[in-house]
Amino acid sequence: MTRRIAILNVVGLTREHLGKHTPHITKYAEQRSVSSLMPPLPAVTSTVQTSILTGSNPKQHGIVANGWYERETHETFFWRQSNSLVQSENLWDALPNESTVANLFWWFNMYSKADICVTPRPVYRADGRKNPDLWTNPPNLRTTLQHTLGKFPLFNFWGPTAGIASSKWIANAAIEVDVMHSPTVSLVYLPHLDYPLQRVGPNHPSIPEELLAIDEVVGKLLDYYQSKNIEVCILSEYGIEEVQDATAINRTLRNNGLLSIREECGQEFLDAGASQAFAVPDHQVAHVYVQDESKISTVAALLKNTAGIEFVYAGDERGELAHERCGDIVVISECNTWFSHDWWNDDSKAPDYQGTVDIHRKPGYDPRELILAEGWRGSAPRIAAKLLAKKLGQRTLFDVVTMDSSKVRGSHGRTPAMGSPSPIVITPSCAKKMPQSLPVAALKKLIVSWVNS
């Protein structure tokens, strides 16, 4: 007989958060084993989650970041969802045949062999509107969940209004899925802490209130799962560091004659395929793609002398990140900065999508999408007017988020070996005592062992 397990991914949680502001999580931790987790480089969502679920490193599973450049198409893609992109065996393939897995919002969920899948999948309308929606397996689960819980709050999942509502919805969906399907393993993604930790930084006085908010959600899940004799593992993917500003790595490459741009309608757009070198930033890590491999060492030398960059790896130095999708050079920021994708020297020349929430068009992760612009551009009356125009079917540019990189106060991507805070794992009661620290890739075998214990 297999044991049932729920894996709660409380993004951004570290040992420092245990205490009076997380009473439910802390009480649970005091009765269990708590270990530090060692995420791979880069310590970002897609890479870490895939390392957990496959028990392998990025060189093996191929998820080198949240997005990467395709040399064949000369395009950059972020936040794709097909599980076919993962090149290693997944957790659900390693479990006993009678086991079932429910994946609620862990990444690369679509078209996987997990038995139950729930993931965000907005509908993009021809008039420019974006309708919140889901993709589920089985397909009718989409209708059932949104009939019971209401529409998935997509705009509370990412963007300037991202907050606790999306984590509450996911937690409630996890309970509904368990009632309907009784999965052996439930993978539950709770992203709330990620938002304030990036917006205001880990040391901001508002963080205790945000900890209490996610702790309440976790407490509800703990009560439910324990009432059903389901073991619970609480973990996180990465810790978040305080930052002051961003390093615009593509601007450096442009100013040194390596980056190509084209001007359209007075705006400057990246021409990656024509660039000798350009960077795909992802939080505190950037993949730099170099067209002529004979110039890799020259570009690497330039980056080593660039302010805001601490580590530069090329060739074999990339270690467990040296997959074909990886940049020819991997750069890591200093602890107090992150990488923006900006290539323009004048904000008036930035592409029109830069001031919007546009996770698929921007060739890099952009945490500024979490923060409204100051003044009229991000004001409530202007936002209301634009929302009304969209509802009336009019095309309008929803350019309401900041373009100021100094407004972002927290970031991640660096590993604990580089000085970042360690994520943690709180193991279930069925687990043997854990070591003080372990790599995230060790979790897959542990989960299988817990199910079989």
Side-chain angles (χ1 to χ4, degrees), residues 49 53 80-84 86 90 92 101-120 135-137 187 189:
Q49 288 185 10
L53 294 180
R80 290 185 294 180
Q81 298 204 59
S82 171
N83 193 257
S84 298
V86 178
N90 281 287
W92 38 86
V101 174
N103 185 344
L104 291 107
F105 286 72
W106 287 49
W107 218 248
F108 300 108
N109 199 351
M110 292 180 67
Y111 317 117
S112 76
K113 292 181 181 178
D115 303 272
I116 303 102
C117 304
V118 185
T119 196
W135 184 91
T136 68
N137 184 42
L187 302 166
Y189 180 62

PDB file of all heavy atoms in Angstrom, residues 49 53 80-84 86 90 92 101-120 135-137 187 189:
ATOM      1  N   GLN A  49      12.346  23.719 -10.046  1.00  0.00           N
ATOM      2  CA  GLN A  49      11.233  22.770 -10.022  1.00  0.00           C
ATOM      3  C   GLN A  49      11.538  21.539 -10.874  1.00  0.00           C
ATOM      4  O   GLN A  49      11.240  20.408 -10.475  1.00  0.00           O
ATOM      5  CB  GLN A  49       9.957  23.445 -10.520  1.00  0.00           C
ATOM      6  CG  GLN A  49       9.382  24.451  -9.550  1.00  0.00           C
ATOM      7  CD  GLN A  49       8.051  25.017 -10.020  1.00  0.00           C
ATOM      8  OE1 GLN A  49       7.457  24.544 -10.978  1.00  0.00           O
ATOM      9  NE2 GLN A  49       7.573  26.044  -9.331  1.00  0.00           N
ATOM     10  N   LEU A  53      11.744  17.589  -9.701  1.00  0.00           N
ATOM     11  CA  LEU A  53      10.861  16.560 -10.256  1.00  0.00           C
ATOM     12  C   LEU A  53      11.595  15.502 -11.067  1.00  0.00           C
ATOM     13  O   LEU A  53      11.073  14.401 -11.259  1.00  0.00           O
ATOM     14  CB  LEU A  53       9.781  17.214 -11.118  1.00  0.00           C
ATOM     15  CG  LEU A  53       8.782  18.106 -10.368  1.00  0.00           C
ATOM     16  CD1 LEU A  53       7.767  18.692 -11.333  1.00  0.00           C
ATOM     17  CD2 LEU A  53       8.077  17.334  -9.257  1.00  0.00           C
ATOM     18  N   ARG A  80       7.353  28.878 -21.410  1.00  0.00           N
ATOM     19  CA  ARG A  80       6.633  27.849 -22.161  1.00  0.00           C
ATOM     20  C   ARG A  80       6.228  26.730 -21.208  1.00  0.00           C
ATOM     21  O   ARG A  80       6.828  26.549 -20.146  1.00  0.00           O
ATOM     22  CB  ARG A  80       7.502  27.337 -23.308  1.00  0.00           C
ATOM     23  CG  ARG A  80       7.675  28.405 -24.392  1.00  0.00           C
ATOM     24  CD  ARG A  80       8.415  27.879 -25.578  1.00  0.00           C
ATOM     25  NE  ARG A  80       9.801  27.548 -25.268  1.00  0.00           N
ATOM     26  CZ  ARG A  80      10.664  27.057 -26.152  1.00  0.00           C
ATOM     27  NH1 ARG A  80      10.273  26.815 -27.386  1.00  0.00           N
ATOM     28  NH2 ARG A  80      11.906  26.797 -25.809  1.00  0.00           N
ATOM     29  N   GLN A  81       5.226  25.945 -21.577  1.00  0.00           N
ATOM     30  CA  GLN A  81       4.634  25.033 -20.603  1.00  0.00           C
ATOM     31  C   GLN A  81       4.660  23.558 -20.993  1.00  0.00           C
ATOM     32  O   GLN A  81       4.337  22.708 -20.159  1.00  0.00           O
ATOM     33  CB  GLN A  81       3.179  25.453 -20.350  1.00  0.00           C
ATOM     34  CG  GLN A  81       3.033  26.848 -19.765  1.00  0.00           C
ATOM     35  CD  GLN A  81       1.739  27.004 -19.023  1.00  0.00           C
ATOM     36  OE1 GLN A  81       1.471  26.286 -18.074  1.00  0.00           O
ATOM     37  NE2 GLN A  81       0.920  27.941 -19.459  1.00  0.00           N
ATOM     38  N   SER A  82       5.034  23.229 -22.210  1.00  0.00           N
ATOM     39  CA  SER A  82       4.987  21.831 -22.624  1.00  0.00           C
ATOM     40  C   SER A  82       6.010  20.992 -21.880  1.00  0.00           C
ATOM     41  O   SER A  82       7.200  21.319 -21.851  1.00  0.00           O
ATOM     42  CB  SER A  82       5.247  21.720 -24.130  1.00  0.00           C
ATOM     43  OG  SER A  82       5.403  20.363 -24.494  1.00  0.00           O
ATOM     44  N   ASN A  83       5.562  19.890 -21.326  1.00  0.00           N
ATOM     45  CA  ASN A  83       6.467  18.998 -20.617  1.00  0.00           C
ATOM     46  C   ASN A  83       7.444  18.295 -21.544  1.00  0.00           C
ATOM     47  O   ASN A  83       8.448  17.745 -21.091  1.00  0.00           O
ATOM     48  CB  ASN A  83       5.663  17.969 -19.814  1.00  0.00           C
ATOM     49  CG  ASN A  83       6.510  17.215 -18.823  1.00  0.00           C
ATOM     50  OD1 ASN A  83       6.875  16.056 -19.035  1.00  0.00           O
ATOM     51  ND2 ASN A  83       6.868  17.879 -17.725  1.00  0.00           N
ATOM     52  N   SER A  84       7.191  18.347 -22.844  1.00  0.00           N
ATOM     53  CA  SER A  84       8.107  17.736 -23.812  1.00  0.00           C
ATOM     54  C   SER A  84       9.465  18.430 -23.820  1.00  0.00           C
ATOM     55  O   SER A  84      10.449  17.864 -24.313  1.00  0.00           O
ATOM     56  CB  SER A  84       7.497  17.793 -25.221  1.00  0.00           C
ATOM     57  OG  SER A  84       6.300  17.056 -25.274  1.00  0.00           O
ATOM     58  N   VAL A  86      11.185  18.986 -21.228  1.00  0.00           N
ATOM     59  CA  VAL A  86      11.981  18.359 -20.168  1.00  0.00           C
ATOM     60  C   VAL A  86      12.580  17.063 -20.704  1.00  0.00           C
ATOM     61  O   VAL A  86      11.862  16.194 -21.203  1.00  0.00           O
ATOM     62  CB  VAL A  86      11.113  18.078 -18.923  1.00  0.00           C
ATOM     63  CG1 VAL A  86      11.933  17.373 -17.850  1.00  0.00           C
ATOM     64  CG2 VAL A  86      10.528  19.380 -18.386  1.00  0.00           C
ATOM     65  N   ASN A  90      10.504  12.130 -15.242  1.00  0.00           N
ATOM     66  CA  ASN A  90       9.805  12.885 -14.209  1.00  0.00           C
ATOM     67  C   ASN A  90       9.415  12.000 -13.024  1.00  0.00           C
ATOM     68  O   ASN A  90       9.414  10.776 -13.113  1.00  0.00           O
ATOM     69  CB  ASN A  90       8.543  13.522 -14.802  1.00  0.00           C
ATOM     70  CG  ASN A  90       8.844  14.768 -15.602  1.00  0.00           C
ATOM     71  OD1 ASN A  90       9.171  15.811 -15.038  1.00  0.00           O
ATOM     72  ND2 ASN A  90       8.726  14.665 -16.919  1.00  0.00           N
ATOM     73  N   TRP A  92       6.530  11.336 -11.757  1.00  0.00           N
ATOM     74  CA  TRP A  92       5.392  10.427 -11.970  1.00  0.00           C
ATOM     75  C   TRP A  92       5.776   9.169 -12.733  1.00  0.00           C
ATOM     76  O   TRP A  92       5.087   8.165 -12.657  1.00  0.00           O
ATOM     77  CB  TRP A  92       4.249  11.151 -12.675  1.00  0.00           C
ATOM     78  CG  TRP A  92       4.657  12.120 -13.729  1.00  0.00           C
ATOM     79  CD1 TRP A  92       4.921  11.864 -15.035  1.00  0.00           C
ATOM     80  CD2 TRP A  92       4.860  13.525 -13.540  1.00  0.00           C
ATOM     81  NE1 TRP A  92       5.268  13.009 -15.694  1.00  0.00           N
ATOM     82  CE2 TRP A  92       5.240  14.054 -14.804  1.00  0.00           C
ATOM     83  CE3 TRP A  92       4.759  14.389 -12.454  1.00  0.00           C
ATOM     84  CZ2 TRP A  92       5.515  15.412 -15.000  1.00  0.00           C
ATOM     85  CZ3 TRP A  92       5.025  15.729 -12.639  1.00  0.00           C
ATOM     86  CH2 TRP A  92       5.406  16.236 -13.893  1.00  0.00           C
ATOM     87  N   VAL A 101      -0.549  11.287  -9.594  1.00  0.00           N
ATOM     88  CA  VAL A 101       0.064  12.576  -9.251  1.00  0.00           C
ATOM     89  C   VAL A 101      -0.850  13.708  -9.710  1.00  0.00           C
ATOM     90  O   VAL A 101      -1.343  13.707 -10.840  1.00  0.00           O
ATOM     91  CB  VAL A 101       1.449  12.727  -9.919  1.00  0.00           C
ATOM     92  CG1 VAL A 101       2.008  14.126  -9.683  1.00  0.00           C
ATOM     93  CG2 VAL A 101       2.408  11.668  -9.397  1.00  0.00           C
ATOM     94  N   ALA A 102      -1.075  14.667  -8.824  1.00  0.00           N
ATOM     95  CA  ALA A 102      -1.777  15.902  -9.163  1.00  0.00           C
ATOM     96  C   ALA A 102      -0.773  17.045  -9.149  1.00  0.00           C
ATOM     97  O   ALA A 102      -0.136  17.303  -8.122  1.00  0.00           O
ATOM     98  CB  ALA A 102      -2.900  16.175  -8.168  1.00  0.00           C
ATOM     99  N   ASN A 103      -0.614  17.686 -10.284  1.00  0.00           N
ATOM    100  CA  ASN A 103       0.320  18.802 -10.404  1.00  0.00           C
ATOM    101  C   ASN A 103      -0.478  20.097 -10.496  1.00  0.00           C
ATOM    102  O   ASN A 103      -1.112  20.386 -11.505  1.00  0.00           O
ATOM    103  CB  ASN A 103       1.206  18.627 -11.644  1.00  0.00           C
ATOM    104  CG  ASN A 103       2.274  19.705 -11.748  1.00  0.00           C
ATOM    105  OD1 ASN A 103       2.214  20.745 -11.088  1.00  0.00           O
ATOM    106  ND2 ASN A 103       3.258  19.470 -12.589  1.00  0.00           N
ATOM    107  N   LEU A 104      -0.422  20.878  -9.423  1.00  0.00           N
ATOM    108  CA  LEU A 104      -1.141  22.140  -9.374  1.00  0.00           C
ATOM    109  C   LEU A 104      -0.154  23.296  -9.462  1.00  0.00           C
ATOM    110  O   LEU A 104       0.441  23.714  -8.470  1.00  0.00           O
ATOM    111  CB  LEU A 104      -1.976  22.243  -8.098  1.00  0.00           C
ATOM    112  CG  LEU A 104      -3.157  21.273  -8.075  1.00  0.00           C
ATOM    113  CD1 LEU A 104      -2.897  20.129  -7.109  1.00  0.00           C
ATOM    114  CD2 LEU A 104      -4.448  21.993  -7.720  1.00  0.00           C
ATOM    115  N   PHE A 105       0.098  23.709 -10.709  1.00  0.00           N
ATOM    116  CA  PHE A 105       0.824  24.935 -11.028  1.00  0.00           C
ATOM    117  C   PHE A 105       2.347  24.808 -10.973  1.00  0.00           C
ATOM    118  O   PHE A 105       3.035  25.812 -11.160  1.00  0.00           O
ATOM    119  CB  PHE A 105       0.353  26.109 -10.146  1.00  0.00           C
ATOM    120  CG  PHE A 105      -1.007  26.633 -10.534  1.00  0.00           C
ATOM    121  CD1 PHE A 105      -2.158  25.913 -10.272  1.00  0.00           C
ATOM    122  CD2 PHE A 105      -1.137  27.850 -11.164  1.00  0.00           C
ATOM    123  CE1 PHE A 105      -3.408  26.396 -10.628  1.00  0.00           C
ATOM    124  CE2 PHE A 105      -2.383  28.345 -11.529  1.00  0.00           C
ATOM    125  CZ  PHE A 105      -3.531  27.609 -11.269  1.00  0.00           C
ATOM    126  N   TRP A 106       2.912  23.622 -10.733  1.00  0.00           N
ATOM    127  CA  TRP A 106       4.348  23.475 -10.963  1.00  0.00           C
ATOM    128  C   TRP A 106       4.562  23.544 -12.477  1.00  0.00           C
ATOM    129  O   TRP A 106       3.697  23.164 -13.260  1.00  0.00           O
ATOM    130  CB  TRP A 106       4.854  22.145 -10.410  1.00  0.00           C
ATOM    131  CG  TRP A 106       4.942  22.093  -8.915  1.00  0.00           C
ATOM    132  CD1 TRP A 106       3.983  22.452  -8.016  1.00  0.00           C
ATOM    133  CD2 TRP A 106       6.053  21.628  -8.135  1.00  0.00           C
ATOM    134  NE1 TRP A 106       4.411  22.229  -6.735  1.00  0.00           N
ATOM    135  CE2 TRP A 106       5.685  21.728  -6.777  1.00  0.00           C
ATOM    136  CE3 TRP A 106       7.313  21.115  -8.448  1.00  0.00           C
ATOM    137  CZ2 TRP A 106       6.549  21.349  -5.738  1.00  0.00           C
ATOM    138  CZ3 TRP A 106       8.161  20.733  -7.420  1.00  0.00           C
ATOM    139  CH2 TRP A 106       7.783  20.854  -6.086  1.00  0.00           C
ATOM    140  N   TRP A 107       5.763  23.998 -12.866  1.00  0.00           N
ATOM    141  CA  TRP A 107       5.954  24.342 -14.267  1.00  0.00           C
ATOM    142  C   TRP A 107       6.178  23.127 -15.182  1.00  0.00           C
ATOM    143  O   TRP A 107       6.467  22.040 -14.707  1.00  0.00           O
ATOM    144  CB  TRP A 107       7.110  25.328 -14.421  1.00  0.00           C
ATOM    145  CG  TRP A 107       6.791  26.331 -15.490  1.00  0.00           C
ATOM    146  CD1 TRP A 107       7.377  26.472 -16.701  1.00  0.00           C
ATOM    147  CD2 TRP A 107       5.731  27.293 -15.463  1.00  0.00           C
ATOM    148  NE1 TRP A 107       6.761  27.463 -17.432  1.00  0.00           N
ATOM    149  CE2 TRP A 107       5.733  27.988 -16.701  1.00  0.00           C
ATOM    150  CE3 TRP A 107       4.753  27.623 -14.520  1.00  0.00           C
ATOM    151  CZ2 TRP A 107       4.827  29.000 -17.012  1.00  0.00           C
ATOM    152  CZ3 TRP A 107       3.849  28.628 -14.821  1.00  0.00           C
ATOM    153  CH2 TRP A 107       3.899  29.309 -16.051  1.00  0.00           C
ATOM    154  N   PHE A 108       6.008  23.358 -16.489  1.00  0.00           N
ATOM    155  CA  PHE A 108       6.053  22.337 -17.547  1.00  0.00           C
ATOM    156  C   PHE A 108       5.024  21.245 -17.249  1.00  0.00           C
ATOM    157  O   PHE A 108       5.291  20.058 -17.292  1.00  0.00           O
ATOM    158  CB  PHE A 108       7.468  21.766 -17.709  1.00  0.00           C
ATOM    159  CG  PHE A 108       8.466  22.818 -18.082  1.00  0.00           C
ATOM    160  CD1 PHE A 108       9.403  23.268 -17.177  1.00  0.00           C
ATOM    161  CD2 PHE A 108       8.438  23.404 -19.341  1.00  0.00           C
ATOM    162  CE1 PHE A 108      10.295  24.280 -17.512  1.00  0.00           C
ATOM    163  CE2 PHE A 108       9.324  24.415 -19.684  1.00  0.00           C
ATOM    164  CZ  PHE A 108      10.262  24.852 -18.769  1.00  0.00           C
ATOM    165  N   ASN A 109       3.819  21.715 -17.003  1.00  0.00           N
ATOM    166  CA  ASN A 109       2.709  20.867 -16.570  1.00  0.00           C
ATOM    167  C   ASN A 109       1.902  20.341 -17.759  1.00  0.00           C
ATOM    168  O   ASN A 109       1.318  19.263 -17.694  1.00  0.00           O
ATOM    169  CB  ASN A 109       1.806  21.700 -15.649  1.00  0.00           C
ATOM    170  CG  ASN A 109       0.895  20.872 -14.774  1.00  0.00           C
ATOM    171  OD1 ASN A 109       0.802  19.664 -14.942  1.00  0.00           O
ATOM    172  ND2 ASN A 109       0.224  21.510 -13.838  1.00  0.00           N
ATOM    173  N   MET A 110       1.875  21.110 -18.850  1.00  0.00           N
ATOM    174  CA  MET A 110       1.001  20.743 -19.962  1.00  0.00           C
ATOM    175  C   MET A 110       1.518  19.517 -20.727  1.00  0.00           C
ATOM    176  O   MET A 110       2.709  19.404 -21.006  1.00  0.00           O
ATOM    177  CB  MET A 110       0.849  21.927 -20.921  1.00  0.00           C
ATOM    178  CG  MET A 110       0.079  23.101 -20.317  1.00  0.00           C
ATOM    179  SD  MET A 110      -0.089  24.499 -21.447  1.00  0.00           S
ATOM    180  CE  MET A 110      -1.164  23.787 -22.689  1.00  0.00           C
ATOM    181  N   TYR A 111       0.590  18.623 -21.036  1.00  0.00           N
ATOM    182  CA  TYR A 111       0.857  17.422 -21.833  1.00  0.00           C
ATOM    183  C   TYR A 111       1.857  16.485 -21.157  1.00  0.00           C
ATOM    184  O   TYR A 111       2.522  15.691 -21.826  1.00  0.00           O
ATOM    185  CB  TYR A 111       1.339  17.795 -23.250  1.00  0.00           C
ATOM    186  CG  TYR A 111       0.538  18.922 -23.852  1.00  0.00           C
ATOM    187  CD1 TYR A 111       1.125  20.137 -24.167  1.00  0.00           C
ATOM    188  CD2 TYR A 111      -0.836  18.770 -24.069  1.00  0.00           C
ATOM    189  CE1 TYR A 111       0.380  21.181 -24.694  1.00  0.00           C
ATOM    190  CE2 TYR A 111      -1.592  19.814 -24.585  1.00  0.00           C
ATOM    191  CZ  TYR A 111      -0.976  21.010 -24.893  1.00  0.00           C
ATOM    192  OH  TYR A 111      -1.731  22.044 -25.403  1.00  0.00           O
ATOM    193  N   SER A 112       1.939  16.569 -19.856  1.00  0.00           N
ATOM    194  CA  SER A 112       2.793  15.630 -19.118  1.00  0.00           C
ATOM    195  C   SER A 112       2.003  14.360 -18.833  1.00  0.00           C
ATOM    196  O   SER A 112       0.802  14.264 -19.121  1.00  0.00           O
ATOM    197  CB  SER A 112       3.250  16.254 -17.801  1.00  0.00           C
ATOM    198  OG  SER A 112       2.198  16.254 -16.847  1.00  0.00           O
ATOM    199  N   LYS A 113       2.670  13.390 -18.229  1.00  0.00           N
ATOM    200  CA  LYS A 113       2.010  12.141 -17.870  1.00  0.00           C
ATOM    201  C   LYS A 113       1.470  12.171 -16.440  1.00  0.00           C
ATOM    202  O   LYS A 113       1.013  11.147 -15.925  1.00  0.00           O
ATOM    203  CB  LYS A 113       2.969  10.968 -18.048  1.00  0.00           C
ATOM    204  CG  LYS A 113       3.329  10.706 -19.508  1.00  0.00           C
ATOM    205  CD  LYS A 113       4.276   9.519 -19.640  1.00  0.00           C
ATOM    206  CE  LYS A 113       4.662   9.279 -21.096  1.00  0.00           C
ATOM    207  NZ  LYS A 113       5.626   8.161 -21.237  1.00  0.00           N
ATOM    208  N   ALA A 114       1.530  13.342 -15.810  1.00  0.00           N
ATOM    209  CA  ALA A 114       0.877  13.467 -14.505  1.00  0.00           C
ATOM    210  C   ALA A 114      -0.620  13.221 -14.694  1.00  0.00           C
ATOM    211  O   ALA A 114      -1.212  13.613 -15.705  1.00  0.00           O
ATOM    212  CB  ALA A 114       1.124  14.851 -13.917  1.00  0.00           C
ATOM    213  N   ASP A 115      -1.241  12.583 -13.716  1.00  0.00           N
ATOM    214  CA  ASP A 115      -2.635  12.159 -13.871  1.00  0.00           C
ATOM    215  C   ASP A 115      -3.618  13.321 -13.828  1.00  0.00           C
ATOM    216  O   ASP A 115      -4.624  13.316 -14.537  1.00  0.00           O
ATOM    217  CB  ASP A 115      -2.979  11.148 -12.772  1.00  0.00           C
ATOM    218  CG  ASP A 115      -2.044   9.961 -12.795  1.00  0.00           C
ATOM    219  OD1 ASP A 115      -2.335   8.995 -13.520  1.00  0.00           O
ATOM    220  OD2 ASP A 115      -0.999  10.015 -12.113  1.00  0.00           O
ATOM    221  N   ILE A 116      -3.342  14.294 -12.978  1.00  0.00           N
ATOM    222  CA  ILE A 116      -4.195  15.474 -12.850  1.00  0.00           C
ATOM    223  C   ILE A 116      -3.312  16.705 -12.997  1.00  0.00           C
ATOM    224  O   ILE A 116      -2.286  16.826 -12.317  1.00  0.00           O
ATOM    225  CB  ILE A 116      -4.934  15.515 -11.496  1.00  0.00           C
ATOM    226  CG1 ILE A 116      -5.770  14.253 -11.281  1.00  0.00           C
ATOM    227  CG2 ILE A 116      -5.819  16.749 -11.388  1.00  0.00           C
ATOM    228  CD1 ILE A 116      -5.157  13.247 -10.350  1.00  0.00           C
ATOM    229  N   CYS A 117      -3.687  17.616 -13.879  1.00  0.00           N
ATOM    230  CA  CYS A 117      -2.883  18.810 -14.149  1.00  0.00           C
ATOM    231  C   CYS A 117      -3.761  20.050 -14.088  1.00  0.00           C
ATOM    232  O   CYS A 117      -4.851  20.065 -14.649  1.00  0.00           O
ATOM    233  CB  CYS A 117      -2.238  18.748 -15.531  1.00  0.00           C
ATOM    234  SG  CYS A 117      -1.215  17.289 -15.836  1.00  0.00           S
ATOM    235  N   VAL A 118      -3.252  21.078 -13.417  1.00  0.00           N
ATOM    236  CA  VAL A 118      -3.922  22.379 -13.410  1.00  0.00           C
ATOM    237  C   VAL A 118      -2.830  23.432 -13.573  1.00  0.00           C
ATOM    238  O   VAL A 118      -1.880  23.481 -12.785  1.00  0.00           O
ATOM    239  CB  VAL A 118      -4.697  22.637 -12.102  1.00  0.00           C
ATOM    240  CG1 VAL A 118      -5.482  23.947 -12.211  1.00  0.00           C
ATOM    241  CG2 VAL A 118      -5.619  21.476 -11.767  1.00  0.00           C
ATOM    242  N   THR A 119      -2.971  24.286 -14.597  1.00  0.00           N
ATOM    243  CA  THR A 119      -1.951  25.298 -14.851  1.00  0.00           C
ATOM    244  C   THR A 119      -2.601  26.505 -15.509  1.00  0.00           C
ATOM    245  O   THR A 119      -3.615  26.371 -16.200  1.00  0.00           O
ATOM    246  CB  THR A 119      -0.828  24.721 -15.747  1.00  0.00           C
ATOM    247  OG1 THR A 119       0.329  25.569 -15.685  1.00  0.00           O
ATOM    248  CG2 THR A 119      -1.265  24.566 -17.183  1.00  0.00           C
ATOM    249  N   PRO A 120      -2.062  27.723 -15.297  1.00  0.00           N
ATOM    250  CA  PRO A 120      -2.668  28.899 -15.922  1.00  0.00           C
ATOM    251  C   PRO A 120      -2.498  28.881 -17.437  1.00  0.00           C
ATOM    252  O   PRO A 120      -1.431  28.542 -17.946  1.00  0.00           O
ATOM    253  CB  PRO A 120      -1.900  30.068 -15.294  1.00  0.00           C
ATOM    254  CG  PRO A 120      -0.607  29.472 -14.839  1.00  0.00           C
ATOM    255  CD  PRO A 120      -0.909  28.067 -14.455  1.00  0.00           C
ATOM    256  N   TRP A 135      -5.621  25.556 -18.075  1.00  0.00           N
ATOM    257  CA  TRP A 135      -5.539  24.308 -18.836  1.00  0.00           C
ATOM    258  C   TRP A 135      -5.502  23.185 -17.805  1.00  0.00           C
ATOM    259  O   TRP A 135      -4.733  23.255 -16.826  1.00  0.00           O
ATOM    260  CB  TRP A 135      -4.277  24.264 -19.687  1.00  0.00           C
ATOM    261  CG  TRP A 135      -4.185  23.036 -20.560  1.00  0.00           C
ATOM    262  CD1 TRP A 135      -4.631  22.908 -21.835  1.00  0.00           C
ATOM    263  CD2 TRP A 135      -3.602  21.766 -20.209  1.00  0.00           C
ATOM    264  NE1 TRP A 135      -4.366  21.633 -22.313  1.00  0.00           N
ATOM    265  CE2 TRP A 135      -3.744  20.917 -21.332  1.00  0.00           C
ATOM    266  CE3 TRP A 135      -2.984  21.264 -19.066  1.00  0.00           C
ATOM    267  CZ2 TRP A 135      -3.283  19.600 -21.336  1.00  0.00           C
ATOM    268  CZ3 TRP A 135      -2.532  19.952 -19.062  1.00  0.00           C
ATOM    269  CH2 TRP A 135      -2.677  19.138 -20.198  1.00  0.00           C
ATOM    270  N   THR A 136      -6.334  22.198 -17.994  1.00  0.00           N
ATOM    271  CA  THR A 136      -6.380  21.093 -17.033  1.00  0.00           C
ATOM    272  C   THR A 136      -6.413  19.747 -17.745  1.00  0.00           C
ATOM    273  O   THR A 136      -6.787  19.638 -18.902  1.00  0.00           O
ATOM    274  CB  THR A 136      -7.631  21.172 -16.122  1.00  0.00           C
ATOM    275  OG1 THR A 136      -8.802  20.917 -16.901  1.00  0.00           O
ATOM    276  CG2 THR A 136      -7.738  22.510 -15.435  1.00  0.00           C
ATOM    277  N   ASN A 137      -6.018  18.752 -17.019  1.00  0.00           N
ATOM    278  CA  ASN A 137      -6.206  17.360 -17.412  1.00  0.00           C
ATOM    279  C   ASN A 137      -6.697  16.622 -16.154  1.00  0.00           C
ATOM    280  O   ASN A 137      -6.017  16.657 -15.129  1.00  0.00           O
ATOM    281  CB  ASN A 137      -4.894  16.744 -17.909  1.00  0.00           C
ATOM    282  CG  ASN A 137      -5.090  15.321 -18.407  1.00  0.00           C
ATOM    283  OD1 ASN A 137      -6.053  15.029 -19.092  1.00  0.00           O
ATOM    284  ND2 ASN A 137      -4.192  14.436 -18.009  1.00  0.00           N
ATOM    285  N   LEU A 187       1.311  18.054  -5.875  1.00  0.00           N
ATOM    286  CA  LEU A 187       2.332  19.093  -5.989  1.00  0.00           C
ATOM    287  C   LEU A 187       1.612  20.434  -6.013  1.00  0.00           C
ATOM    288  O   LEU A 187       0.873  20.736  -6.953  1.00  0.00           O
ATOM    289  CB  LEU A 187       3.141  18.908  -7.275  1.00  0.00           C
ATOM    290  CG  LEU A 187       3.844  17.563  -7.437  1.00  0.00           C
ATOM    291  CD1 LEU A 187       4.308  17.373  -8.885  1.00  0.00           C
ATOM    292  CD2 LEU A 187       5.028  17.449  -6.491  1.00  0.00           C
ATOM    293  N   TYR A 189       1.785  24.590  -5.709  1.00  0.00           N
ATOM    294  CA  TYR A 189       2.629  25.776  -5.855  1.00  0.00           C
ATOM    295  C   TYR A 189       1.954  26.967  -5.176  1.00  0.00           C
ATOM    296  O   TYR A 189       0.828  27.340  -5.524  1.00  0.00           O
ATOM    297  CB  TYR A 189       2.828  26.039  -7.342  1.00  0.00           C
ATOM    298  CG  TYR A 189       3.680  27.237  -7.708  1.00  0.00           C
ATOM    299  CD1 TYR A 189       5.009  27.319  -7.331  1.00  0.00           C
ATOM    300  CD2 TYR A 189       3.155  28.278  -8.482  1.00  0.00           C
ATOM    301  CE1 TYR A 189       5.800  28.405  -7.700  1.00  0.00           C
ATOM    302  CE2 TYR A 189       3.938  29.363  -8.855  1.00  0.00           C
ATOM    303  CZ  TYR A 189       5.249  29.424  -8.459  1.00  0.00           C
ATOM    304  OH  TYR A 189       6.030  30.496  -8.834  1.00  0.00           O
TER     305      TYR A 189
END
